[in-house]
Amino acid sequence: LCALSLLYGLLIVLFSMVRGFKPAVLQAKVISVGNITWGGTGKTPLVELLAGFLRSEGRNIAILTRGYKRAVSRDRALADASASRMGDEPYMLSSKLKNVPVIVNGDRVKAGIEAQQLHKADTLILDDGFQQWGLQKDLDIVAIDAGNPFGNKWLIPRGILREPLSALKRADVFVLTNIDAAVDLAGLKADLAVRNPSALIVAARHKPSGFYRLGNASAPCSEETVRSGPAALVSGIGNPGSFRRAAESLRIRVAHAFVFPDHHLYSDSDVASINDCAQALGIKTIITTEKDAVKLAFFAPLIEPEVFVLRVELEIVDNKELFYDRLRCVCSS
């Protein structure tokens, strides 16, 4: 796959140069959250954290996202929102961040104009925006999974890089996520400091913050309730290993893990497989992610074990105040 990766890299470089030659400028602050690799790096919890902080600072924000694997192809804001129509991550964000517009549109410029005109947004959070070369940004934040920063350092399809590592020079902030799984965190920080000396490097981890029963997010459950017996994990996310570590950190006895592809759309046959396996292993408890919960809720009456949803938040553990100061500086300029 070496030749295909080299061809992909050449096309990406040319495309980014053309798209970035004259980027569109919006009359609002644009804060991008993205990554340079294929797969989960914790962007969505980071978007949620940013939204909460910026609202606390008095900003009128909107989130712009593509809505990966959504059932609706026509780009528009969706008043009759659902996970299938918006995409799992946008719907999850919309459900958790009340009164924050989440605009689903493959054309982020059009989405930004809509956010300004309809919602009077003065600050736009661009979800998965690092490869949005055609839009001028005020702050480019790149999330990097510290447990697997760049894979084998090859571009797609031989590796997991979406752009050459030289693209990291565009970043203003690196947020290292999943630091509990890092093999050499100091080495990663040193490498990034060489590649982009001016960028702020922030370290963060995914922190479990409680459980609730599927379909009842307003009623938290105690950890003791979930620990009452062996459990199975159900997830369709980019980094299932991080989810398992979060569950095991709460002393959950994980008897089995159902790992589906990222953004997986569940079916009746999936639920039947889960039920059959749970019955065979004597499992009466299922634990899933918030991202998966918005899709599994439709099947709740069919799932025989009790399903609990694990909340996970992004916790900044290094350079937190510098990070927030950078955000304040951008918004006040």
Side-chain angles (χ1 to χ4, degrees):
L1 298 175
C2 295
L4 289 177
S5 291
L6 292 172
L7 176 61
Y8 170 86
L10 176 61
L11 292 175
I12 283 293
V13 170
L14 292 175
F15 189 68
S16 63
M17 289 175 62
V18 172
R19 293 280 293 169
F21 178 71
K22 193 174 181 181
V25 180
L26 296 175
Q27 301 305 310
K29 299 298 180 182
V30 178
I31 298 175
S32 168
V33 177
N35 58 18
I36 197 171
T37 56
W38 187 264
T41 56
K43 294 191 309 295
T44 303
L46 179 54
V47 168
E48 184 181 349
L49 181 146
L50 286 172
F53 173 77
L54 291 169
R55 286 194 69 188
S56 71
E57 292 289 308
R59 306 298 295 185
N60 188 19
I61 66 171
I63 297 172
L64 315 182
T65 182
R66 178 167 65 109
Y68 186 67
K69 278 197 174 181
R70 59 197 173 100
V72 177
S73 60
R74 188 158 62 95
D75 291 322
R76 61 185 179 88
L78 300 168
D80 51 340
S82 67
S84 62
R85 293 176 67 81
M86 292 183 73
D88 47 19
E89 290 172 344
Y91 182 70
M92 182 187 74
L93 287 169
S94 180
S95 300
K96 296 180 72 175
L97 300 171
K98 304 299 182 183
N99 301 319
V100 173
V102 178
I103 300 176
V104 180
N105 194 323
D107 188 327
R108 309 301 174 83
V109 176
K110 289 182 179 178
I113 294 172
E114 180 178 324
Q116 294 173 262
Q117 293 178 345
L118 297 184
H119 304 287
K120 310 303 179 186
D122 56 32
T123 306
L124 306 174
I125 300 177
L126 190 61
D127 181 33
D128 197 16
F130 194 53
Q131 284 74 41
Q132 292 294 316
W133 306 287
L135 178 58
Q136 183 171 301
K137 308 158 198 174
D138 297 280
L139 192 70
D140 232 330
I141 302 172
V142 175
I144 297 174
D145 177 7
N148 183 26
F150 311 119
N152 60 8
K153 296 187 178 181
W154 275 84
L155 290 160
I156 296 169
R158 189 168 189 261
I160 61 173
L161 288 177
R162 300 167 71 177
E163 290 188 77
L165 287 174
S166 58
L168 292 174
K169 295 176 182 178
R170 302 199 312 267
D172 300 302
V173 179
F174 295 120
V175 176
L176 309 184
T177 63
N178 201 22
I179 60 171
D180 295 336
V183 176
D184 182 12
L185 185 60
L188 175 59
K189 289 181 177 180
D191 180 54
L192 292 172
V194 171
R195 294 182 186 277
N196 186 340
S198 64
L200 174 66
I201 300 175
V202 176
R205 69 184 185 96
H206 295 100
K207 176 184 176 183
S209 59
F211 294 92
Y212 61 87
R213 284 182 172 84
L214 182 65
N216 193 7
S218 60
C221 300
S222 68
E223 294 178 15
E224 289 72 20
T225 301
V226 185
R227 291 196 199 106
S228 59
L233 305 182
V234 176
S235 65
I237 58 177
N239 192 344
S242 177
F243 174 50
R244 179 161 189 153
R245 284 190 294 273
E248 290 179 336
S249 72
L250 299 175
R251 294 183 285 119
I252 302 297
R253 288 183 289 158
V254 178
H256 188 75
F258 296 92
V259 178
F260 296 93
D262 194 14
H263 301 284
H264 182 66
L265 300 175
Y266 292 95
S267 65
D268 291 337
S269 62
D270 293 329
V271 173
S273 297
I274 292 170
N275 287 338
D276 290 344
C277 184
Q279 185 177 22
L281 296 176
I283 293 171
K284 299 186 182 302
T285 300
I286 297 287
I287 301 173
T288 192
T289 71
E290 289 188 282
K291 176 176 167 178
D292 292 286
V294 299
K295 294 170 292 187
L296 286 172
F298 177 79
F299 299 96
L302 304 177
I303 304 175
E304 294 170 3
E306 191 165 18
V307 183
F308 296 93
V309 183
L310 175 59
R311 296 183 190 273
V312 176
E313 298 176 351
L314 194 70
E315 179 185 35
I316 298 177
V317 298
D318 185 28
N319 284 337
K320 180 178 180 178
E321 289 307 316
L322 288 176
F323 179 57
Y324 287 150
D325 285 345
R326 182 70 66 90
L327 291 171
R328 292 189 186 100
C329 182
V330 166
C331 291
S332 62
S333 61

